[in-house]
Amino acid sequence: MSVRALWIISHEKGENVSVRFSRRFATVEHRAKSLAGSSYVAVPEENTVLQLLLTELGLSDSEKSYVALRDDCLHRQRSPAMELRVDGPGKGILWPVLAISQGPLILACLPLVDAPVEPRPPLASLLSVSQGLTLLAGLQTFLLGPGGKPDSEGLASRLAMLPAILLQVCPLGSPLDVPILGAPATPTVPIPAGNQKQPVWKTGLHRGRAVVNVALIETVRSMQYGNRSRQDLWDVYGTVTCKVPVPPILGSYRLKEEENQLHVSVTLKLHESVKNSFEYCEAHLPFFNRDQMGVVDVKVSSGQLDVSKEKNLLIWAMGQKFPKSREVTMEGKISFSGPTPGPTDSLCTELTAYIKLYFKVPDMTLSGCSVDQHSVQVYSSAKPRIVTSRELLSKEYFIWNSTGTAPVSSGQMML
């Protein structure tokens, strides 16, 4: 999810309505132009957006006792997701413009919609709408605080901090997180700089001992065929060189078709060099281009087996440890006699099938790389505590049925 533009407007009674802060994200706007093509509508200037928003929210012409758009009982308020009709050379409709109002501020943003403009998709199907509202709500809490009515000096100081805040939570227009809900990090009355212990990378006041987290993550991918005529492939990303010569989990997958049943045989073996301690370890066995699953008579030597007949999917959760033998097996038969056809896939026809492994091993890398916390230096008077971590993560880790055909790639696996 990305944001094309963000506006913060002050509309307190007795004061001039004005845009207190605005930010446009050129890289996101370029994507919006590419997606929309000939129907692209550029984001207008601040003053134009201000007038369009006030009109849509029914806040324009405050000196008049009656304005049809604002006061007519037939008018339906469309906030927080609105459309703004832009006139002039770049005329068109900006949608969906999100806006929330509390106290003296109106916060608005224009999220990027990764979908065709026409026909207009329903709001409930757009993740960018909910994420955009979450971003606005977080910024609102940061600016106004829990009471919702900060003093002018406190609001001004928080608005001054907003560019640095957006660099953290919305770099290049893509929200990573929202400001922490609750009390703002900066008090309404500034504290002299000499009394603060504030690391240079934090925008709020320091509370407690600072912590620097350094994480090392390796990603392992594998294609295993269980056939001597096909070379198994694997690679590790996140390191410069690797010294484990085989994949961390070696597998054998065999299917045999008997009438309307499949005989399933699976063996998974954890390599001796890999730490036998998982955060999670699962094997997914999908079956495509068949009728819906009927009777499933499958046993596993370790872990738990879940069956999703609607998806023709077996999920084998092996838990956090392999047994002492470092080997687990699955044996059994599956019938496909359901009333409706199962999911389809153009690749996985007949006996072409695979197992996909999902696992995460904390405090380990295949290459042996690690970060020495005593070697990490932070130039700050706060003397933060250094925390380092490493983990091994699976990605695109496949074991193909050795009795069927399988896609084969020559050479190194590519991203």
Side-chain angles (χ1 to χ4, degrees):
M1 177 265 178
S2 300
V3 176
R4 296 171 60 183
L6 174 70
W7 304 274
I8 298 177
I9 300 168
S10 173
H11 71 108
E12 196 164 9
K13 293 182 179 179
E15 297 184 2
N16 292 330
V17 178
S18 61
V19 178
R20 299 289 298 272
F21 178 87
S22 68
R23 180 60 51 89
R24 300 186 187 198
F25 301 96
T27 54
V28 183
E29 194 64 17
H30 179 73
R31 289 166 54 198
K33 188 173 183 179
S34 300
L35 287 170
S38 59
S39 59
Y40 167 73
V41 179
V43 179
E45 297 299 323
E46 285 183 5
N47 291 336
T48 303
V49 173
L50 175 62
Q51 295 303 318
L52 293 173
L53 267 176
L54 293 178
T55 300
E56 186 66 23
L57 292 171
L59 298 174
S60 60
D61 300 318
S62 58
E63 71 280 358
K64 296 181 181 180
S65 59
Y66 177 81
V67 178
L69 183 61
R70 180 188 66 199
D71 303 316
D72 196 304
C73 63
L74 296 178
H75 174 67
R76 292 188 304 165
Q77 183 60 263
R78 286 172 286 185
S79 178
M82 305 171 293
E83 60 179 31
L84 302 184
R85 299 183 178 274
V86 181
D87 297 324
K91 65 179 180 179
I93 296 178
L94 286 179
W95 179 90
V97 178
L98 310 178
I100 58 176
S101 175
Q102 180 181 349
L105 296 182
I106 298 173
L107 288 82
C109 72
L110 177 62
L112 176 67
V113 177
D114 293 322
V117 179
E118 297 295 339
R120 182 175 293 180
L123 286 173
S125 67
L126 297 178
L127 181 61
S128 58
V129 171
S130 59
Q131 291 182 333
L133 290 173
T134 302
L135 174 66
L136 293 180
L139 292 175
Q140 181 186 61
T141 304
F142 168 74
L143 292 170
L144 299 179
K149 292 184 179 181
D151 57 89
S152 58
E153 186 178 352
L155 178 59
S157 67
R158 294 179 190 125
L159 284 170
M161 294 172 59
L162 204 52
I165 291 289
L166 287 177
L167 283 177
Q168 291 188 5
V169 302
C170 193
L172 299 177
S174 298
L176 301 178
D177 201 352
V178 296
I180 299 175
L181 297 180
T186 302
T188 56
V189 180
I191 299 176
N195 296 334
Q196 302 181 35
K197 290 185 177 180
Q198 183 175 355
V200 293
W201 63 86
K202 288 187 69 68
T203 58
L205 292 180
H206 170 70
R207 296 182 179 183
R209 188 179 181 185
V211 176
V212 176
N213 290 289
V214 183
L216 177 63
I217 300 175
E218 277 188 353
T219 300
V220 58
R221 302 188 305 174
S222 181
M223 287 282 187
Q224 301 179 34
Y225 301 101
N227 193 318
R228 292 185 178 180
S229 63
R230 303 169 187 165
Q231 182 181 1
D232 292 348
L233 303 174
W234 76 288
D235 54 27
V236 178
Y237 286 87
T239 61
V240 178
T241 57
C242 299
K243 66 180 182 180
V244 179
V246 295
I249 298 178
L250 291 170
S252 171
Y253 183 27
R254 296 180 62 85
L255 291 177
K256 183 179 179 182
E257 192 154 16
E258 301 172 350
E259 296 181 351
N260 202 29
Q261 286 187 332
L262 278 181
H263 183 272
V264 182
S265 177
V266 179
T267 301
L268 300 177
K269 185 172 182 61
L270 180 66
H271 193 265
E272 59 184 9
S273 64
V274 179
K275 181 180 178 181
N276 191 8
S277 178
F278 293 82
E279 185 170 314
Y280 57 83
C281 184
E282 288 187 354
H284 290 203
L285 289 75
F287 298 93
F288 298 102
N289 305 311
R290 298 179 181 274
D291 291 335
Q292 193 178 73
M293 280 184 177
V295 178
V296 178
D297 183 16
V298 176
K299 304 296 182 183
V300 295
S301 64
S302 178
Q304 180 178 345
L305 184 66
D306 292 327
V307 180
S308 175
K309 293 187 176 181
E310 295 79 10
K311 298 180 180 180
N312 275 14
L313 176 66
L314 299 183
I315 301 177
W316 182 11
M318 286 160 276
Q320 297 180 324
K321 279 184 176 293
F322 273 57
K324 290 184 178 181
S325 63
R326 289 181 169 249
E327 184 173 295
V328 293
T329 59
M330 172 192 290
E331 292 283 346
K333 292 183 179 181
I334 306 172
S335 67
F336 297 89
S337 56
T340 58
T344 60
D345 184 274
S346 58
L347 177 64
C348 295
T349 58
E350 297 180 348
L351 289 179
T352 301
Y354 62 82
I355 299 173
K356 187 171 184 181
L357 292 183
Y358 299 84
F359 60 84
K360 181 177 179 181
V361 186
D363 194 28
M364 183 200 164
T365 55
L366 287 176
S367 64
C369 289
S370 62
V371 178
D372 180 9
Q373 68 180 42
H374 302 292
S375 300
V376 179
Q377 297 183 1
V378 178
Y379 298 95
S380 169
S381 60
K383 296 183 179 179
R385 180 169 59 94
I386 307 298
V387 177
T388 61
S389 64
R390 57 179 182 167
E391 62 185 37
L392 178 66
L393 192 66
S394 67
K395 180 183 180 182
E396 304 298 324
Y397 203 107
F398 291 93
I399 299 171
W400 291 89
N401 171 34
S402 60
T403 62
T405 59
V408 179
S409 173
S410 61
Q412 187 179 11
M413 293 181 67
M414 302 297 291
L415 281 173

